[in-house]
Each structure stands twice: as C-alpha cells, then as structure tokens.
C-alpha cells in the first residue's frame, strides 16, 4: 500500500501509460492473510513448504542464507515476470501488473520436489532422501586437512568411478540404491575421505567422471584453474573480487563494470540534478531526511 499512499499505485500509472509494466515484489504477495505482514527469506521459505525439506536427519530445518526466497524466488522470478510481460506487450501493446510473491516464487522453483514425491525421490523423512544428504554418494566429506569434497555420483557409471577412486571393490559393497545400507556406507566413505588432503583427492578425481569436486572458499573459487580459464570472476579497481555476470551471451555478452561499488548517497545529487531538481530542492530533501548525500557539498 505504500505506492498507493504516494499516489503512484498501478491504477494511476497504468492510466497514464497503458503500456507500463508495473512489478510488485513482496514476500507474501499483494493479497491474502499475510499480504501486509513483515517477513524475511526464512519466513517465506517456511510458508512455501520448501524449508521443511532442508536439513539433515534428526536436525531442525535450516535456511541456506537468503538465496532461495529473496534472490531466486523473489528477484529472479520477478525479473522473469517482467520479461514475460514485455514479451506479451510486444503482441498486445498493453502493460500489466506483475505480482511477484517470494513465497510463490520459491514454491514454484521447488516444483521438482512436489512432482517427484511419487517416484521415490522425496518420500523419506528429511535428510534420508537421495539429494538431501541421505545417500552416501550425494554428500560432503571432510578431508585430512580440514577441507571438504563434494560427491554427486548418482548414475551407476559415475558411482563406479567414485568407488574406484576411493580404492574400494564394487563387488564387495552393498547395492548402490540399498537405502538400508546408506548410513554405514556414509561412515565408510567418510573414514576414507578423512585419510587424504583435499589436494590429494583432487589429483585422484579431477580427470574422472566420478562427480567429485573440492568445496572451495570464495578466494579459492576465484583462483581455481577452471574458473580462471572462463574468467568466471572479476576484480574491480579496488581489487575486490565478484562473480562475472551470467549467463554469457555469445553475441552480446555483458560488459561488467570494474569500478568499485558506490557509497550510499554518492551519486544522489548528480542524479537528481539530471532529473531536473534544483540544488535548493535537493537540500530540502536532505534536510527532511528523504535522501542521503555522501560528501555533501558546501554550496548546498
């Protein structure tokens, strides 16, 4: 309701410009019992049902920072809604309102979980399924130097290479999909991974299709050979590292800025002047605490 109180709701603006795409990104959506309630990623994740699936056996559900509901279910899905509305406008010539709810966005992203329950992928309690740390071949293991290796050897041909790399004999082990034996197999794999360093395991698995990769820190991710070859990470003029824009387009790839991130309010005056505000009006906005100005100039 904030935009309506400012006289800038979609009804007003779409009346002025019927081609406008008006995106509304909220946690709970524009309608419903929680529509006006405060919340954060963890709350939206909880209401979507997804949080109940995240976590290990016999532990509380956990939210993986704020990537799922905020950025994926919210930002990315809202951006997709805008692109979809723009595509539709090219045919109809009319704009519309995009109601992007983080609850619904992350729920929709989890459609795979909902639709795969009947095929046996998610019919066990949390932490006991194929992809949620239940399987020994889809897990993270600690190495002798306190680092970690990620294992995702689901298909039999990949699993066979995992077993070979671990120095085990496939014929002497339980069947890969024997759920009853998974807990003991996890213990066995963990004890083996704990005998070598991360670098040693990389030397064993890097040239294979065992789906075993090192768990890299931010610093190590940027310096890893594969990521360096693809220029997956970039440095700004302050030497700060961040991911390169993705996905990469063949003909019109994004050209990332190598300038440092701006300070809050650094360009406020510059932008407002460009939009026709006078210095006196900008000074009034600042004194009313409506805007922030960094390095406030004396002539204001």
């Amino acid at each position: 309701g904030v935009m309506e109180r400012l006289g800038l709701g979609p009804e007003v603006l779409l009346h002025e410009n019927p081609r406008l795409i008006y995106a509304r990104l909220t946690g709970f959506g524009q309608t419903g019992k929680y529509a006006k309630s405060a919340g954060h990623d963890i709350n939206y994740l909880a209401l979507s049902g997804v949080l109940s699936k995240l976590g290990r056996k016999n532990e509380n559900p956990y939210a993986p920072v704020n990537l799922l509901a905020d950025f994926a279910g919210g930002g990315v899905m809202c951006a997709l809604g805008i692109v979809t509305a723009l595509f539709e406008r090219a045919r109809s010539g009319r704009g519309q309102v995009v109601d992007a709810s983080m609850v619904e966005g992350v729920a929709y992203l989890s459609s795979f979980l909902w639709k795969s329950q009947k095929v046996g992928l998610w019919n066990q309690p949390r932490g006991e399924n194929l992809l949620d740390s239940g399987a020994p071949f889809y897990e993270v293991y600690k190495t002798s130097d306190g680092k970690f290796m990620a294992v995702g050897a689901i298909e039999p041909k990949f699993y066979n290479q995992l077993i070979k790399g671990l120095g085990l004999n496939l014929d002497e082990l339980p069947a890969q999909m024997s759920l009853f034996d998974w807990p003991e197999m996890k213990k066995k794999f963990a004890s083996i991974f704990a005998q070598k360093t991360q670098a040693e395991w990389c030397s064993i698995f890097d040239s294979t299709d065992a789906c075993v990769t090192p768990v890299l820190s931010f610093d190590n991710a940027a310096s890893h050979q594969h990521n360096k070859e693809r220029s997956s990470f970039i440095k700004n003029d302050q030497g700060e590292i961040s991911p390169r824009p993705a996905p990469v387009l063949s003909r019109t790839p994004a050209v990332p800025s190598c300038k440092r991130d701006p300070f809050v309010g650094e360009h406020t005056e510059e932008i407002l002047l460009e939009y026709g505000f006078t210095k006196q009006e900008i000074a009034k906005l600042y004194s009313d605490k409506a805007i922030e100005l960094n390095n406030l100039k004396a002539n204001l």
Side-chain angles (χ1 to χ4, degrees):
V2 174
M3 297 302 287
E4 281 80 1
R5 290 196 296 274
L6 294 173
L8 298 172
E11 294 81 7
V12 173
L13 298 189
L14 281 167
H15 179 74
E16 292 289 328
N17 178 8
R19 290 175 55 82
L20 184 68
I21 307 299
Y22 193 111
R24 312 198 78 166
L25 174 57
T26 60
F28 297 111
Q30 294 300 311
T31 58
K33 178 179 179 179
Y34 288 179
K36 295 182 188 249
S37 299
H40 280 294
D41 185 284
I42 194 170
N43 307 117
Y44 314 137
L45 205 56
L47 203 64
S48 73
V50 177
L51 185 57
S52 70
K53 298 294 185 182
L54 305 179
R56 292 185 176 273
K57 180 180 178 180
N58 298 326
E59 293 184 9
N60 295 347
Y62 73 87
V65 293
N66 66 324
L67 295 176
L68 284 184
D70 278 354
F71 299 141
V76 173
M77 294 301 285
C78 182
L80 178 61
I82 293 171
V83 170
T84 304
L86 287 169
F87 181 75
E88 192 280 336
R89 188 179 72 181
R91 299 182 177 185
S92 69
R94 300 173 59 197
Q96 56 186 309
V97 178
V98 178
D99 180 1
S101 155
M102 294 184 191
V103 172
E104 294 166 357
V106 73
Y108 186 55
L109 283 174
S110 73
S111 296
F112 164 71
L113 306 184
W114 292 83
K115 294 178 179 295
S116 62
Q117 291 180 93
K118 292 183 179 180
V119 298
L121 286 180
W122 297 99
N123 58 346
Q124 299 297 316
R126 181 175 62 254
E128 298 182 33
N129 298 277
L130 180 67
L131 302 178
D132 65 357
S133 79
F137 48 85
Y138 204 90
E139 178 60 289
V140 176
Y141 293 101
K142 194 171 186 177
T143 58
S144 64
D145 54 347
K147 298 180 181 180
F148 298 92
M149 298 296 291
V151 177
I154 298 176
E155 292 81 358
K157 62 181 180 179
F158 302 152
Y159 180 73
N160 293 349
Q161 295 193 48
L162 167 66
I163 296 304
K164 181 180 178 181
L166 293 176
L168 297 172
N169 188 335
L170 191 65
D171 296 332
E172 298 174 357
L173 299 175
Q176 179 185 358
M177 298 305 296
S178 175
L179 275 65
F180 176 80
D181 295 297
W182 279 2
E184 283 303 313
M185 289 298 292
K186 286 182 70 172
K187 292 179 182 178
K188 182 184 288 290
F189 288 4
S191 67
I192 296 175
F193 271 106
Q195 295 171 16
K196 288 182 171 64
T197 66
Q198 185 187 72
E200 289 174 324
W201 285 119
C202 286
S203 68
I204 291 172
F205 286 114
D206 269 3
S207 59
T208 74
D209 279 335
C211 301
V212 179
T213 50
V215 177
L216 301 175
S217 67
F218 274 17
D219 289 340
N220 290 338
S223 61
H224 190 274
Q225 181 181 353
H226 174 80
N227 294 332
K228 287 176 67 176
E229 289 174 356
R230 286 185 54 81
S231 301
S232 300
F233 295 86
I234 57 176
K235 282 186 179 182
N236 65 12
D237 53 14
Q238 304 291 307
E240 298 167 333
I241 298 174
S242 61
R244 179 187 63 177
V248 180
L249 305 184
S250 63
R251 186 171 54 81
T252 58
V255 180
S257 170
C258 289
K259 296 182 179 179
R260 62 163 174 78
D261 292 341
F263 300 120
V264 174
E266 182 174 359
H267 302 114
T268 302
E269 179 187 7
E270 175 186 342
I271 292 170
L272 290 179
L273 287 171
E274 182 179 328
Y275 274 88
F277 286 80
T278 66
K279 287 184 177 290
Q280 291 72 27
E281 288 173 327
I282 296 172
K284 181 66 166 57
L285 289 171
Y286 177 73
S287 64
D288 290 342
K289 298 183 178 180
I291 61 173
E292 284 196 47
L293 296 177
N294 192 282
N295 296 325
L296 185 63
K297 293 184 174 63
N299 59 7
L300 282 179

